Amino acid sequence: MKEIWLLVESESWDEVKEMLKDAIEIGFDGAVLREDFIKKAEKLGRMQLIPIERSLISVKSAEDQTKAIESGDVVVLRFEDWKVIPLENIVAMKKHGKVIAAVDSIEDAKLALTTLEKGADGIAVSGDRETLRKYYELVKNRIESVKLVKGKITEIRPLGVGERVCIDTVTLMFPGEGMLVGNRSGFMFLVASESEESEYVSSRPFRVNAGSVNAYLKAGDKTKYLAELKAGDEVEIVRYDGNARKSFVGRVKIERRPLILIRAEAEGEEGSIILQNAETIKLVNPSGKHISVSEIRPGDEVLVWLGRGARHFGVEVDEFILER
C-alpha cells in the first residue's frame, strides 16, 4: 500500500506538535521533521519519524538524482521545478529503501503515485487538518481497477469435511463486493461478502467466507494463502465492476465444515475453488448479483480474475508453473 508522510519544516515545536497530532489521528504512516524534535514527537503517538536534515533531497541536478538513487533508506524528494522524468528515473533505478515524493497539490500527488505505473512509494505533504485528510483519502482509499472477466461454471461437486477460512475485515462491504480467491494463483473467483440478509442468519457485511485453507487470496500485487492470514494483514476488497479498495484483517476464523468444489472456464483457462457447502456462501455474477453455492449450476456465469504469471512467495515471477 502507498504511504503518506507529514513533512514539517517549521522551527516552532508548538506548530509541529499540532500538525503531528492531526497526522497521527488521521492515520499517517510517518513524519519528516527536525531531528531535535523527534524525542518529543515520539511521545505523541506511534508513527515512523525521520530527520529532515538527512532525508529531504531537493532534486535540481543529475547529481541530486544519483544521490537519491543510492540512498538506502527512506528518501523524501522535492523537485524544484516539478518534472516527471527525474522521478521516473529514481523510481526505475532505486533498488533499496523507499521513494517519498514531496507534493503541493492533489494533481502532483496523483502524478507521483502513478509515475511509470508503479509510482513513488508514497507522498509527503503539509497543511491544515482538512488538507491532510484530503491527501490521506487520495492515498489510502485510492480506487484501483481490477479486470474481471466472465467465467462459465463447468463442475460442481460436494467434497468431504475440511478446514475453511472466514475473513472478518475492519471494513463494511456491500452487495456486489467480495474478495478474489482460487486454487490457482492465476485464476480466482470473486467470492461475495456476507452483506446480504438471509432467511437463516443476519448479514455480516464485514465478512467473506473465503474458502479452503489451501486457496490463494489476491492482495494487491501479491497473493497470500488463506491459512496464513492473521489480524492486521492487508487485503483487497473488489467490486463486481472491477473497482477495488484496501482493507485489513480484523480476525480470521478457521473451522471444520463440509466443502464443495466449483470449477469454471474463462478465456481458455480453467480454475477451481473449494468453498464451504452452505447457502450463505456465494459467488458474484457479471451483473453484481450474489449466487449461492447451493443454487449454482453448470453453465452459470460468475466473475473471475485471470493472472498470467507464476508466483513465488506470493510475488509474480517469470517461470514455468502448472497448477491444477
Side-chain angles (χ1 to χ4, degrees):
M1 181 182 284
K2 301 292 186 179
E3 296 186 356
I4 182 162
W5 288 64
L6 178 69
L7 177 58
V8 197
E9 299 181 84
S10 172
E11 296 184 359
S12 164
W13 168 243
D14 289 336
E15 291 180 6
V16 171
K17 180 172 66 174
E18 292 307 309
M19 292 181 70
L20 279 169
K21 286 165 62 177
D22 286 341
I24 291 169
E25 290 174 5
I26 292 169
F28 274 44
D29 296 292
V32 189
L33 68 166
R34 285 178 44 164
E35 189 165 15
D36 56 338
F37 288 156
I38 287 181
K39 288 294 184 183
K40 295 179 182 179
E42 289 174 343
K43 299 177 181 179
L44 298 177
R46 185 178 294 275
M47 72 187 317
Q48 189 172 353
L49 303 169
I50 59 175
I52 195 170
E53 296 88 345
R54 299 200 299 270
S55 304
L56 181 62
I57 299 176
S58 293
V59 180
K60 306 174 185 176
S61 64
E63 289 75 17
D64 295 328
Q65 178 178 287
T66 300
K67 181 180 178 182
I69 292 169
E70 293 177 350
S71 174
D73 207 342
V74 178
V75 59
V76 181
L77 306 179
R78 170 177 283 146
F79 298 90
E80 296 299 311
D81 297 313
W82 179 257
K83 295 179 181 178
V84 175
I85 299 302
L87 181 57
E88 286 184 346
N89 293 342
I90 294 166
V91 168
M93 299 172 67
K94 189 172 175 62
K95 303 302 181 184
H96 305 287
K98 297 175 182 176
V99 176
I100 307 297
V103 299
D104 298 314
S105 70
I106 293 292
E107 290 70 27
D108 284 352
K110 291 177 180 177
L111 184 60
L113 293 168
T114 56
T115 293
L116 284 183
E117 296 187 359
K118 173 186 175 183
D121 295 297
I123 58 173
V125 300
S126 59
D128 59 24
R129 187 182 183 91
E130 186 57 32
T131 299
L132 297 182
R133 187 177 297 281
K134 287 179 180 178
Y135 281 117
Y136 178 88
E137 292 294 328
L138 171 69
V139 175
K140 296 301 184 179
N141 295 330
R142 200 160 52 97
I143 297 298
E144 300 175 353
S145 179
V146 175
K147 184 181 178 182
L148 301 176
V149 299
K150 296 177 182 179
K152 182 174 290 187
I153 301 298
T154 59
E155 182 185 3
I156 306 153
R157 177 159 50 94
L159 303 178
V161 172
E163 281 75 44
R164 66 93 175 102
V165 180
C166 265
I167 305 171
D168 291 351
T169 72
V170 299
T171 303
L172 295 178
M173 290 173 273
F174 302 93
E177 288 187 317
M179 296 182 188
L180 291 168
V181 183
N183 290 332
R184 284 182 53 197
S185 60
F187 195 117
M188 298 193 187
F189 295 71
L190 182 56
V191 181
S193 60
E194 295 190 6
S195 51
E196 291 187 333
E197 291 289 342
S198 165
E199 180 182 353
Y200 304 100
V201 296
S202 300
S203 67
R204 300 288 189 269
F206 51 81
R207 173 174 296 169
V208 174
N209 193 325
S212 53
V213 288
N214 63 282
Y216 291 107
L217 171 79
K218 185 177 183 298
D221 295 331
K222 297 182 178 181
T223 59
K224 299 177 180 178
Y225 289 115
L226 292 185
E228 296 176 340
L229 291 174
K230 60 185 182 302
D233 282 353
E234 181 182 314
V235 291
E236 186 175 57
I237 296 171
V238 180
R239 202 167 67 181
Y240 72 95
D241 59 3
N243 282 336
R245 54 196 174 109
K246 307 296 182 184
S247 185
F248 296 91
V249 176
R251 172 179 53 243
V252 169
K253 296 201 305 176
I254 301 177
E255 297 169 307
R256 184 163 290 179
R257 294 290 186 269
L259 303 176
I260 188 169
L261 170 73
I262 297 177
R263 201 180 302 275
E265 179 274 331
E267 298 185 358
E269 296 284 335
E270 186 180 78
S272 65
I273 187 171
I274 298 172
L275 297 165
Q276 180 179 342
N277 190 0
E279 67 279 354
T280 55
I281 316 307
K282 302 174 182 180
L283 298 176
V284 182
N285 73 11
S287 64
K289 298 293 177 62
H290 294 189
I291 311 175
S292 170
V293 298
S294 64
E295 299 176 349
I296 203 163
R297 298 290 183 268
D300 287 347
E301 289 185 336
V302 296
L303 289 172
V304 302
W305 173 83
L306 302 179
R308 303 302 182 183
R311 297 274 170 172
H312 182 65
F313 291 107
V315 179
E316 188 171 344
V317 294
D318 184 17
E319 67 176 5
F320 172 78
I321 187 170
L322 181 62
E323 294 177 299
R324 293 174 176 164

